Amino acid sequence: MEKENKSKDAIPGACSCMTLTSKSGKYYWFRTCDIDTDIWKDGAHVVRQAAGEVVEYCDGRKEISQYSFTGMTYNALSTWLLDGVNECGLTGGLLMLYEGTSVDKTENGKVGFIGMELVTKILSCCRDVSEVIGLAERIQILDIPFCKKKLNASMHYFFVDNTGNEVILEAAKKEKPGILQVFAKEEILGVMTNSPPYEKQLQNLAWFLSRSPEMKQGINGQTITELILDGRAVKADAEVEHLSLNGTFPASYSSYDRFIRLAVLKFLNNSGNEFEDEKMLAMGNGIMNAVCEPYTKGLFHYTRMESDGKIIGQKNSFTQYVTMYDIEEKCFNIKKYDEIIWTKHGLN
């Protein structure tokens, strides 16, 4: 099949996610799913997979699921999970990354999985983040079959387990297509959006901290020169490469601006640590509202902005759903774009 680099036409393009920890120490994972078409008309649905039952992947491969899991797809294919949680509390999902890479066939003895099916594979066989990392080292991401063609798997992955351990997986290096780079907990902030790759997101955030008048004003007049999230810090640095064009708190829906908004808001809310569990849904939703694209077919979603102000990759988009995963309870609450209520889903 012919390969095209048009994954953005087939998978959600503007998602955001974030971990929070309540006052009692419980872990939660929030995400938005953003795309320009109504996924519910395309067959989006809740998936429930029982342990010991067969999972049949797109390439015809059949495997027995070690663990039961539940989650969300964005079409009729139950193996194309966007996000989910399994019976061990392992939680996570995929987000668009335009720099993501994949291959038609595996190399050097790697095990291949279609980019859209890696979340299913991980939830079916991994107990925790350490096992996710072990699996990731053996996997090479395969192209996505789509309408008799193959698409580049432009995506990256975020997982968190019931101990609060986290990992980001990215196959973004052109010289190593489909090979997943592992970002361990101490390297990340519990926040992820889309492009650019994670290291550049952190650089852009560091530059923002060095320029932001809001950060210089700080809290009660005390300048903020670093963000410390769950013990992990990003320090202000005016010399690093950056994508943001000025230091004010950004309003656009570009992924690097959404990354800044989530990181700063998570910091200002102490990662959720001051809130009781019964308040976490409302509090986390409040933060996620800062990155939700309203159902207006708005003009403000784009990939990036050039130094001359030219917008690149402008595309209509809106938030299909916001979801909160309760890792201890192994369930999720979801709110669709056309609803004002939350619906709870569990393993059964």
Side-chain angles (χ1 to χ4, degrees):
M1 286 189 289
E2 178 186 357
K3 179 177 176 179
E4 294 188 355
N5 190 16
K6 293 184 178 181
S7 300
K8 60 182 179 296
D9 295 327
I11 63 176
C15 308
S16 307
C17 72
M18 168 189 66
T19 54
L20 292 174
T21 309
S22 71
K23 188 175 182 180
S24 71
K26 287 181 62 176
Y27 302 106
Y28 299 85
W29 185 63
F30 292 79
R31 67 103 28 103
T32 68
C33 169
D34 311 272
I35 194 173
D36 61 336
T37 58
D38 191 330
I39 64 172
W40 311 100
K41 294 179 181 179
D42 293 332
H45 62 284
V46 176
V47 172
R48 289 185 177 88
Q49 174 75 37
E53 291 189 351
V54 174
V55 179
E56 185 168 354
Y57 294 96
C58 284
D59 59 4
R61 180 177 1 188
K62 297 180 180 180
E63 295 183 352
I64 301 297
S65 182
Q66 292 180 240
Y67 304 112
S68 60
F69 59 86
T70 185
M72 285 298 308
T73 72
Y74 78 99
N75 60 21
L77 296 174
S78 293
T79 55
W80 285 31
L81 278 184
L82 293 179
D83 48 81
V85 59
N86 71 14
E87 64 181 86
C88 306
L90 181 64
T91 303
L94 64 86
L95 281 69
M96 169 64 83
L97 179 73
Y98 288 104
E99 295 85 351
T101 64
S102 57
V103 294
D104 181 47
K105 296 180 180 180
T106 56
E107 307 161 355
N108 301 321
K110 294 285 187 177
V111 179
F113 275 90
I114 295 169
M116 283 304 307
E117 296 186 323
L118 185 59
V119 175
T120 296
K121 170 62 178 176
I122 286 175
L123 293 180
S124 72
C125 71
C126 294
R127 175 179 293 273
D128 54 27
V129 163
S130 65
E131 291 191 0
V132 173
I133 294 172
L135 179 63
E137 292 172 347
R138 304 193 302 271
I139 279 180
Q140 190 167 22
I141 301 298
L142 297 177
D143 299 335
I144 302 169
F146 185 74
C147 296
K148 297 183 179 180
K149 296 181 180 180
K150 285 192 175 182
L151 306 179
N152 186 58
S154 302
M155 59 198 65
H156 54 175
Y157 309 84
F158 186 105
F159 288 92
V160 55
D161 64 27
N162 61 4
T163 69
N165 196 10
E166 301 171 7
V167 68
I168 286 174
L169 307 175
E170 286 186 349
K173 295 186 181 300
K174 293 182 179 180
E175 66 274 17
K176 296 182 179 180
I179 302 299
L180 290 162
Q181 182 178 2
V182 173
F183 294 90
K185 180 173 181 176
E186 59 270 15
E187 302 174 271
I188 62 179
L189 302 175
V191 170
M192 190 171 82
T193 56
N194 313 109
S195 300
Y198 207 77
E199 291 168 322
K200 292 185 177 180
Q201 287 278 29
L202 294 178
Q203 289 178 338
N204 191 61
L205 176 60
W207 181 86
F208 164 80
L209 294 176
S210 74
R211 293 291 298 271
S212 167
E214 295 95 344
M215 297 296 102
K216 290 178 181 178
Q217 179 66 32
I219 300 173
N220 298 324
Q222 184 174 357
T223 299
I224 299 171
T225 60
E226 64 179 2
L227 294 189
I228 301 177
L229 299 172
D230 309 319
R232 297 156 280 179
V234 172
K235 295 184 179 181
D237 188 344
E239 304 302 320
V240 294
E241 294 183 8
H242 59 90
L243 293 163
S244 295
L245 297 185
N246 61 65
T248 58
F249 195 64
S252 86
Y253 289 103
S254 65
S255 55
Y256 48 85
D257 282 344
R258 285 183 282 112
F259 188 95
I260 288 172
R261 290 208 295 279
L262 276 188
V264 170
L265 290 172
K266 180 175 176 177
F267 170 79
L268 294 175
N269 286 278
N270 195 21
S271 298
N273 294 163
E274 298 173 5
F275 294 85
E276 302 290 347
D277 290 292
E278 58 269 23
K279 302 293 184 181
M280 289 300 288
L281 180 59
M283 190 276 292
N285 178 60
I287 296 178
M288 296 307 289
N289 279 340
V291 295
C292 285
E293 298 187 341
Y295 181 48
T296 58
K297 298 287 186 178
L299 300 175
F300 299 108
H301 169 66
Y302 50 87
T303 304
R304 69 182 189 277
M305 183 181 288
E306 301 284 22
S307 59
D308 61 1
K310 182 180 179 181
I311 288 174
I312 304 298
Q314 182 174 322
K315 187 177 182 182
N316 290 334
S317 181
F318 64 96
T319 298
Q320 302 287 320
Y321 65 79
V322 183
T323 188
M324 180 194 81
Y325 280 85
D326 184 325
I327 295 173
E328 182 177 295
E329 297 296 327
K330 305 173 185 65
C331 66
F332 66 95
N333 291 274
I334 186 170
K335 183 175 67 173
K336 295 169 57 178
Y337 76 92
D338 57 352
E339 297 178 347
I340 59 173
I341 61 171
W342 293 82
T343 303
K344 184 176 180 178
H345 299 278
L347 294 171
N348 300 311

